[in-house]
Amino acid sequence: MTGVLSGERTELPAYQKLRRQRILDAAKSLLRDHDYESIQIRDVAAEANVALGTLYRYFTSKEHLYANVVYDWSVPFNSMDQSWAEHQGTTERISQRLRMALAAFEKQPNFYKAILMLRATNDPEVSELMHRLGTVLEQPIHSDLSMFLDDEAADITAMVWCVLMDLVARLLSGDKTLTEAHRILDRFVQMIGLRLAQFEAGAH
């Protein structure tokens, strides 16, 4: 992992990379068991066994730290084995990706809650990193929709993630259940299927 991820402009020496990753892993561990709001940055420093001043050499704020945490946690999902998708149709692939996202939410809701909160930041460095995270996470669905012109594929991809993240917010607030969320996502994927059928019939 390079310094670029945290907004730095130079490659970190190996020992600093290890220390930085130790801080990320400690912050990640705390987020598994505690709400983002309740975690103090000094708790992360203690968990990572580093001085608070050392932590601030790598991450300028709690928001900056946890933007890197959710990036570090989320991006590996895109490098997982994708062989399951090879023999599925477009809507089946999108449906499966959304089901996997909800399964990840069910296991680690605090990470999704942190993502929702960090997306509302006023910190430009954090905003840039969250934008980059969104681009990385959207890429597989955008690829699934490659039969469309790029602007339409991008628009549909954005709508998919808007629906997913709105449902996550509703799940966190208790406004929806997982069963309801799955039903809504299935219905939304059916709507994408209608557009796909229209496209395949030649009505571009």
Side-chain angles (χ1 to χ4, degrees):
M1 185 167 300
T2 67
V4 173
L5 178 58
S6 66
E8 298 167 26
R9 296 292 179 263
T10 58
E11 181 81 17
L12 292 174
Y15 78 94
Q16 289 189 3
K17 285 184 184 180
L18 290 172
R19 183 184 293 154
R20 179 181 181 279
Q21 189 61 47
R22 191 165 83 243
I23 294 168
L24 287 174
D25 290 342
K28 205 180 299 180
S29 177
L30 288 171
L31 191 58
R32 289 191 180 99
D33 298 321
H34 304 280
D35 284 343
Y36 170 76
E37 307 100 301
S38 69
I39 299 171
Q40 301 291 322
I41 203 159
R42 64 174 176 269
D43 299 331
V44 179
E47 182 77 11
N49 195 28
V50 299
L52 190 58
T54 300
L55 186 151
Y56 278 118
R57 286 173 52 196
Y58 296 90
F59 305 102
T60 57
S61 66
K62 178 181 170 181
E63 282 191 338
H64 184 219
L65 168 61
Y66 272 96
N68 280 275
V69 165
V70 296
Y71 191 105
D72 194 65
W73 175 76
S74 301
V75 167
F77 286 113
N78 279 20
S79 60
M80 293 171 63
D81 179 19
Q82 299 288 309
S83 60
W84 58 267
E86 293 176 1
H87 304 294
Q88 291 188 334
T90 300
T91 54
E92 289 82 3
R93 287 198 301 274
I94 294 172
S95 178
Q96 182 63 20
R97 294 189 198 285
L98 292 174
R99 288 183 174 276
M100 290 167 67
L102 281 186
F105 165 79
E106 191 174 10
K107 291 178 182 177
Q108 302 288 350
N110 289 342
F111 284 81
Y112 278 79
K113 187 173 183 180
I115 289 171
L116 286 170
M117 297 184 71
L118 290 165
R119 287 173 68 184
T121 183
N122 293 319
D123 183 323
E125 188 173 17
V126 174
S127 293
E128 191 277 332
L129 184 53
M130 296 307 293
H131 174 74
R132 200 185 319 166
L133 174 60
T135 300
V136 170
L137 293 180
E138 289 178 0
Q139 190 277 326
I141 289 180
H142 191 278
S143 295
D144 291 338
L145 298 168
S146 61
M147 72 289 296
F148 296 118
L149 292 175
D150 190 66
D151 60 344
E152 183 171 6
D155 289 347
I156 296 173
T157 300
M159 286 187 277
V160 169
W161 283 97
C162 283
V163 170
L164 175 64
M165 296 311 290
D166 181 71
L167 284 173
V168 165
R170 290 169 182 261
L171 287 166
L172 287 166
S173 70
D175 183 51
K176 295 294 180 188
T177 66
L178 273 169
T179 299
E180 291 170 328
H182 279 292
R183 189 191 71 238
I184 292 166
L185 287 177
D186 286 345
R187 197 180 301 277
F188 186 66
V189 172
Q190 288 172 5
M191 293 169 64
I192 295 173
L194 292 175
R195 173 61 188 121
L196 184 61
Q198 182 186 46
F199 181 88
E200 291 173 342
H204 298 190

